[in-house]
Amino acid sequence: MKKYSILIFIVSLVALILFQHKVIMPFVYKVIQSDLFLVDSKDQGSQLPISNPLTEIAFTHCNNYIKSKLGSDATISFAAKPINAWSMGNYQYIINAEIDITSATANTTTQKYVCRINYKNGDNEEGALDFTNWSIEGLSDLDFI
């Protein structure tokens, strides 16, 4: 039996690879091509930066979130508009903006940040001004938060 163990291992490995290639992967490709993961919404994603009322609201909510997370040690001021805003589709947005931070020692630094935010109510935009209808999915380049 020991004599054939390596041969059995190699044959089993080849059979496993063939099974995955001929059975599992075609099934996976059919699932990917189906409408199983399709989300139908009015908000279409774009590779180009956009500016619309929802991106402006998302920018405001990101700024308010940052303000709530910062302590009273520093004075902050936000830019009037984001540098860029992208829609990822299905009311998910990425906001790239700047913040001016003045510390207690009167040093002012400008820090860029990226905020990923999601509007939870989908095509119903009535509650867009209420922060409870949004969720911050991620915030980067602000290490002090």
Side-chain angles (χ1 to χ4, degrees), residues 55 84-88 92-96 114-117:
T55 60
N84 286 314
W86 293 271
S87 173
M88 297 175 61
Q92 297 179 44
Y93 302 99
I94 296 179
I95 308 296
N96 180 317
V114 176
C115 176
R116 182 171 176 199
I117 188 167

Side-chain angles (χ1 to χ4, degrees), residues 70-78 99-104 107-109:
L70 286 175
S72 59
D73 301 346
T75 304
I76 57 173
S77 62
F78 297 96
I99 180 175
D100 290 328
I101 305 166
T102 305
S103 64
N107 292 336
T108 301
T109 58

Side-chain angles (χ1 to χ4, degrees), residues 14-143:
V14 169
L16 181 64
I17 291 171
L18 285 174
F19 179 75
Q20 180 179 354
H21 182 70
K22 297 292 183 184
V23 176
I24 301 295
M25 291 311 293
F27 176 72
V28 169
Y29 290 138
K30 284 181 183 177
V31 170
I32 291 171
Q33 292 171 351
S34 73
D35 291 342
L36 181 65
F37 298 109
L38 181 64
V39 176
D40 191 22
S41 76
K42 293 179 190 174
D43 185 48
Q44 298 297 314
S46 174
Q47 292 180 357
L48 300 174
I50 63 167
S51 179
N52 62 31
L54 280 175
T55 60
E56 292 172 14
I57 294 170
F59 173 63
T60 302
H61 286 315
C62 285
N63 290 346
N64 290 338
Y65 177 78
I66 292 168
K67 194 182 300 184
S68 72
K69 292 296 182 184
L70 286 175
S72 59
D73 301 346
T75 304
I76 57 173
S77 62
F78 297 96
K81 293 188 177 241
I83 297 170
N84 286 314
W86 293 271
S87 173
M88 297 175 61
N90 197 29
Y91 301 96
Q92 297 179 44
Y93 302 99
I94 296 179
I95 308 296
N96 180 317
E98 289 181 334
I99 180 175
D100 290 328
I101 305 166
T102 305
S103 64
T105 60
N107 292 336
T108 301
T109 58
T110 300
Q111 181 77 32
K112 290 184 180 181
Y113 69 91
V114 176
C115 176
R116 182 171 176 199
I117 188 167
N118 184 21
Y119 180 59
K120 299 181 219 174
N121 288 356
D123 291 335
N124 180 5
E125 296 179 17
E126 291 178 15
L129 294 175
D130 186 6
F131 182 70
T132 58
N133 295 327
W134 292 81
S135 63
I136 302 290
E137 303 295 327
L139 190 62
S140 65
D141 296 335
L142 294 177
D143 298 332

